[in-house]
Amino acid sequence: MRSLLVVVFIIFLTSCSSKLAYNNLDWWVYWYMDDYIELKDEQEEKFDAHLQNWLSWHKKSELTRYKAQLEDIKKQIQNDTFNSSIVYNNLELARSHWERVRDEVSPELAAIAKTLDDEQVVTLFAALEKDNKEEEEERQEALEKSEAERLKDRIERIQETISERIGDLSKEQKQIVSTYAQQFISTGDAWITYRRNIQNAARKLFVSRKQNERFEQELVSLMQNPDNYKSDVYKQSSAHNMTVTATLLAEIFSTLSEKQRQTLIENVDELIETVDNFMD
């Protein structure tokens, strides 16, 4: 189910998408859903009504939150207060945006889920397992590389991501990335295990959906409490990686040239303008 909910965020988070794309999120959702399940006419009618309500809620309630956070980030950059604690808090706030969307849409999704027939359920979980196997194949390809090659790839990904926001990196900044890249803990295997854990729990619910009077409540609980299906090691590793990310970004920020700082502010301004356009 999380795969479906992610669509709600895709357009905003990619930032390069246009107002037209945001205003046609319903089309994007249906396009994405086709890879997982084909709704029947009555189900699609109900889903469409819910989707329009979700999008209206998102536009009225959530976009103002995104804009407020972006404006705060701009002030933090301008005031030179963008330390690791503030970066970490911004990462936490971004996660809370996702959680509110998840909690908003999950009750209606659970209600529609109860109406799925056996063929639809089989198709859904077969598609999810296909994704799992593709993830495993990508993971295996990565593991076939040497540790040094994997580290090099990670460093290049991080450098590319940062340079997209501030421009070309200095030697010092590249060294900072190289240093912190070594501190990240790989969570690939744990991520796949988590996916299977939560999917297996959902599958058990779907098997008994016709007899289980609490099916909807239990499915909502599953969707709204995904951490229950993560191992302690996975949760600890993810928390560690988030701390490393915050510290890395704060270190990079402390070395920004005036040109890089201005480039970063311009990028934030573009995001704010994008959100403003979505709100019109």
Side-chain angles (χ1 to χ4, degrees), residues 210-221:
K210 296 177 182 177
Q211 298 80 30
N212 184 1
E213 294 181 355
R214 291 185 49 79
F215 169 79
E216 292 180 38
Q217 296 95 312
E218 291 176 3
L219 184 57
V220 168
S221 178

Side-chain angles (χ1 to χ4, degrees), residues 76-180:
Q76 291 155 3
I77 296 171
Q78 292 173 324
N79 297 334
D80 200 22
T81 59
F82 211 59
N83 56 39
S84 60
S85 177
I86 287 178
V87 175
Y88 190 91
N89 289 340
N90 274 297
L91 293 174
E92 288 276 16
L93 186 56
R95 182 165 61 183
S96 72
H97 296 329
W98 151 250
E99 291 173 347
R100 281 194 309 278
V101 173
R102 176 199 67 196
D103 293 349
E104 176 72 17
V105 306
S106 53
E108 285 84 4
L109 279 180
I112 293 175
K114 190 172 184 178
T115 70
L116 299 181
D117 62 27
D118 291 343
E119 182 178 355
Q120 288 174 307
V121 171
V122 169
T123 299
L124 172 62
F125 284 100
L128 292 172
E129 181 56 24
K130 179 182 177 183
D131 284 351
N132 293 338
K133 290 180 178 178
E134 290 175 355
E135 292 269 0
E136 286 179 322
E137 290 174 2
E138 292 179 8
R139 175 65 176 159
Q140 186 57 42
E141 289 177 6
L143 291 175
E144 289 174 358
K145 296 182 179 181
S146 68
E147 185 174 344
E149 288 175 321
R150 294 199 300 273
L151 177 59
K152 180 182 177 182
D153 288 344
R154 183 185 306 144
I155 291 171
E156 289 177 351
R157 287 195 302 271
I158 296 172
Q159 288 181 346
E160 182 179 353
T161 299
I162 295 175
S163 65
E164 287 176 353
R165 295 303 180 194
I166 68 172
D168 293 338
L169 305 187
S170 67
K171 287 185 178 180
E172 180 185 9
Q173 290 164 344
K174 289 180 180 179
Q175 183 57 53
I176 291 172
V177 171
S178 296
T179 299
Y180 281 96

Side-chain angles (χ1 to χ4, degrees), residues 55-67:
L55 295 178
S56 177
W57 164 82
H58 188 264
K59 188 172 185 178
K60 293 177 182 177
S61 172
E62 297 305 289
L63 292 182
T64 55
R65 297 177 187 269
Y66 302 162
K67 182 179 179 180

Side-chain angles (χ1 to χ4, degrees), residues 194-208:
Y194 154 70
R195 282 172 58 94
R196 285 213 167 97
N197 285 343
I198 197 168
Q199 289 166 13
N200 287 337
R203 184 183 287 107
K204 290 179 181 178
L205 280 178
F206 274 92
V207 168
S208 64

